[in-house]
């Protein structure tokens, strides 16, 4: 029972650290000099910030940190299939949010 508690606490600490790291990322306008690219980057980062924390973590680690599915699974202490599912749902949600804004 104590190992399970310790693992749970470690997972919570890891998630907090990841949330802090995501929050500390520079704003897109400091990265992209082109106004159109900057606007797209801002929209994308805003959409990513709206994702649930497990999906946001998977997206950040996969796309921004270039970790593999297996590496993310180890880092977050979840099965690789769960990471794939989180990425699938996150991409679907991002697509809806970003394409929905284009239609308005």
């Amino acid at each position: 029972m104590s190992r399970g508690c310790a693992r749970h606490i470690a997972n919570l600490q890891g998630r907090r650290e990841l949330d802090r790291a995501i929050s500390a990322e520079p704003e897109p306008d400091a990265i992209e000099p082109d106004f159109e690219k900057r606007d797209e980057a801002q929209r994308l980062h805003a959409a990513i910030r709206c994702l649930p924390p497990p999906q946001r973590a998977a997206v950040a680690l996969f796309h921004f940190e270039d970790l593999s599915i297996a590496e993310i699974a180890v880092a977050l202490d979840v099965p690789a299939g769960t990471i794939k599912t989180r990425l699938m749902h996150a991409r679907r949600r991002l697509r809806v949010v970003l394409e929905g804004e284009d239609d308005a």
Side-chain angles (χ1 to χ4, degrees), residues 21-37:
I22 290 171
S23 299
E25 285 293 312
E27 287 299 316
D29 49 29
I31 299 170
E32 296 290 338
D34 186 293
F35 289 118
E36 288 181 25
K37 288 182 180 178

Side-chain angles (χ1 to χ4, degrees), residues 72-93:
I72 297 168
V74 169
L76 298 180
D77 195 29
V78 295
T82 301
I83 299 302
K84 290 178 184 179
T85 301
R86 288 178 184 176
L87 286 170
M88 177 191 67
H89 288 295
R91 289 176 185 140
R92 187 177 297 157
R93 182 176 266 171

Side-chain angles (χ1 to χ4, degrees), residues 8-102:
H8 181 71
I9 291 169
N11 286 340
L12 291 176
Q13 289 172 334
R15 288 180 186 145
R16 284 188 205 126
E17 290 175 18
L18 182 60
D19 285 342
R20 273 189 244 127
I22 290 171
S23 299
E25 285 293 312
E27 287 299 316
D29 49 29
I31 299 170
E32 296 290 338
D34 186 293
F35 289 118
E36 288 181 25
K37 288 182 180 178
R38 184 175 58 197
D39 184 48
E40 287 177 27
Q42 287 175 335
R43 287 179 52 228
L44 177 60
H45 281 273
I48 290 171
R49 282 191 296 269
C50 292
L51 291 172
Q55 292 178 10
R56 188 172 59 232
V59 167
L61 292 173
F62 188 78
H63 291 286
F64 300 135
E65 298 297 325
D66 293 323
L67 295 181
S68 69
I69 299 291
E71 291 169 327
I72 297 168
V74 169
L76 298 180
D77 195 29
V78 295
T82 301
I83 299 302
K84 290 178 184 179
T85 301
R86 288 178 184 176
L87 286 170
M88 177 191 67
H89 288 295
R91 289 176 185 140
R92 187 177 297 157
R93 182 176 266 171
L94 290 172
R95 187 176 304 119
V96 167
V97 168
L98 295 174
E99 289 178 357
E101 288 181 3
D102 285 343

